[in-house]
Amino acid sequence: MHDIADLDSRGIPGGMIATTAFEEAAIAQGAALGFDPAIVYVPHPIQDRTDAEIYAIADEALEPILRMITAS
């Protein structure tokens, strides 16, 4: 989060991808930094997923990620 906030402060847009287990922490840290980052959340946990499950998560996350990185 600090890296994305730093990039943003220098005019370089950024975003992050995190699992849903970190959503509350990301919101709290963003509020503490006075920063509202672009975030795409994916299901938690990632580890121990089958290849098919990872591909499905990636497929579902693709459109939101593309919107995040192309938003003006």
Side-chain angles (χ1 to χ4, degrees), residues 14-53:
M16 63 186 266
I17 302 164
T19 67
T20 53
F22 298 97
E23 187 169 358
E24 191 174 311
I27 291 167
Q29 188 168 26
L33 294 173
F35 178 62
D36 183 23
I39 305 175
V40 172
Y41 294 100
V42 297
H44 185 85
I46 291 294
Q47 67 189 32
D48 299 326
R49 298 269 187 169
T50 66
D51 287 351
E53 290 171 322

